[in-house]
Amino acid sequence: MTAHTRTDIVVLGGGYAGITAALRLAPRHRVTLVDPREHFVERVRLHQVAAGQAGTVRPYRKLLAGTGIRHVTGRAAELDPAGGRVAVETGDGQRLDLGYDRLVYALGSRTRVPALIPAAGDAGATPVYTAETAAGLATGMAGRSGRLAVVGGGLTGIEMAAELAEAHPGWQVRLLTAGGLAPTLSEPARRHLRATFDRLGVTVEEGATVDDPRQVDADAVLWSAAMTPATELAAEAGLALDEQGRIRVDAALRSVTRPEIVVAGDAGAGWRMACATAMPTGAHAADTLLREARGAAARPFRLRYVLV
Ligand SMILES: Cc1cc2nc3c(=O)[nH]c(=O)nc-3n(C[C@H](O)[C@H](O)[C@H](O)COP(=O)(O)OP(=O)(O)OC[C@H]3O[C@@H](n4cnc5c(N)ncnc54)[C@H](O)[C@@H]3O)c2cc1C
């Protein structure tokens, strides 16, 4: 039988990548999952939350039951790779110091918001929402009519505009995009999109660059222009990042700076930011740790997109 060294593994982030990695590692290692939320957030369903549909709530307590994974409800605040420690701020104001042998960095990404976005509740300002504040948008639109501008013609903006127009027929929905609509899609897919938007009454304004959401003529704005990786902690800890701010990794998904740290999901460099890549990178990052713990060489990560 192959000898297997049981190690302490801390997984930062309980999104698609982190949960996939944690569940794969748990049968063999002591796994601690750090995430400030009490439940797993299905980001790919946030457009439905914005449209007021109740999302499925999956508490970590249930998701992790029987796995042996310890969930620390807190925010990773500082990473010390040289000392093998991560500082976590818990909701009750405590600061926990967690030691690790190996670490999975899976803190994901969030909407990149311009500094000019007014704070929620600013008097006289047009309310500006993002995918992260989708529930607030649902409340703001419910039972009313008005004009909504969705800024961002990527897949998230498109999903948001379609879902919101369908859920709130009393609202006039415009999609503003700096370039063309859905440039990554094929021409037939774009034709289908335009036909759907026509049916739903969504107007599309291409070539519309918006720097300041306060200047958009609308009753509410949904900002969906770009995502930014959650890699501030990695940068402060000296991990090498690429030009998009994502963590540089080797073929086996280890940080090129600190190979004891593996990276998965939107925080890592070399693949698209998507749920569809977060789960396989989470699984592969875990496999790298599993193989190395039993003295085997890690394997290179390979991903092929079957549909584009
Ligand atoms: C509206 C919308 C629709 C989408 N639709 C699709 C789709 O149809 N298909 C697709 O493939 N992709 C889609 N995506 C993209 C997809 O959701 C992301 O690429 C995916 O969630 C990335 O997974 P992740 O595990 O890397 O990060 P995330 O899912 O972002 O998870 C990161 C986790 O880290 C936690 N965290 C953050 N900071 C800290 C910290 N300091 N300490 C501890 N924990 C922390 C967060 O609470 C979160 O649970 C969509 C995104 C949005 C916003």
Side-chain angles (χ1 to χ4, degrees):
M1 221 173 110
T2 318
H4 205 290
T5 314
R6 201 168 159 80
T7 53
D8 285 311
I9 299 178
V10 170
V11 178
L12 297 184
Y16 298 99
I19 278 288
T20 304
L23 292 173
R24 208 156 167 115
L25 290 163
R28 296 265 180 198
H29 296 280
R30 286 178 296 272
V31 178
T32 302
L33 175 74
V34 179
D35 197 298
R37 296 171 166 145
E38 297 285 359
H39 58 274
F40 172 76
V41 170
E42 277 219 67
R43 282 179 83 200
V44 302
R45 304 244 170 265
L46 286 181
H47 55 289
Q48 292 170 307
V49 174
Q53 298 164 22
T56 321
V57 177
R58 295 178 207 277
Y60 287 124
R61 187 174 33 81
K62 283 196 179 160
L63 210 58
L64 305 179
T67 63
I69 299 171
R70 171 187 176 213
H71 173 212
V72 171
T73 313
R75 176 168 295 281
E78 202 179 329
L79 181 58
D80 168 18
R85 314 202 71 77
V86 57
V88 178
E89 287 168 357
T90 58
D92 54 8
Q94 303 288 316
R95 201 170 159 101
L96 270 183
D97 201 24
L98 300 176
Y100 64 83
D101 299 309
R102 306 292 306 260
L103 182 118
V104 180
Y105 194 109
L107 294 181
S109 63
R110 59 182 179 275
T111 308
R112 183 186 300 147
V113 287
L116 299 163
I117 281 196
D122 270 5
T126 303
V128 181
Y129 300 90
T130 63
E132 289 77 19
T133 56
L137 179 58
T139 313
M141 291 179 82
R144 297 187 198 156
S145 58
R147 296 162 308 140
L148 172 75
V150 177
V151 180
L155 298 182
T156 304
I158 288 168
E159 270 184 333
M160 285 285 191
E163 197 75 44
L164 289 164
E166 189 149 40
H168 301 285
W171 282 70
Q172 195 191 325
V173 179
R174 282 152 69 212
L175 180 72
L176 310 181
T177 174
L181 182 68
T184 56
L185 296 186
S186 63
E187 192 42 46
R190 270 200 297 274
R191 267 202 304 277
H192 173 73
L193 250 183
R194 287 186 197 284
T196 305
F197 278 156
D198 281 350
R199 178 173 61 78
L200 295 171
V202 176
T203 51
V204 179
E205 295 174 27
E206 292 169 287
T209 303
V210 181
D211 297 320
D212 182 349
R214 295 170 305 180
Q215 285 171 359
V216 179
D217 182 25
D219 299 311
V221 173
L222 176 69
W223 188 265
S224 192
M227 305 301 286
T228 190
T231 51
E232 294 83 356
L233 226 57
E236 284 161 19
L239 271 56
L241 307 183
D242 75 355
E243 47 293 340
Q244 270 97 45
R246 299 172 74 186
I247 303 170
R248 287 188 193 277
V249 293
D250 67 10
L253 308 188
R254 294 167 296 211
S255 152
V256 294
T257 323
R258 300 294 311 199
E260 72 278 15
I261 297 177
V262 289
V263 186
D266 287 0
W271 49 86
R272 286 184 199 167
M273 281 189 183
C275 166
T277 52
M279 289 194 283
T281 53
H284 195 92
D287 286 351
T288 290
L289 302 189
L290 289 167
R291 289 183 67 81
E292 291 186 335
R294 60 172 194 266
R299 291 203 171 125
F301 175 67
R302 290 205 177 88
L303 183 76
R304 281 192 311 131
Y305 298 99
V306 179
L307 295 172
V308 285

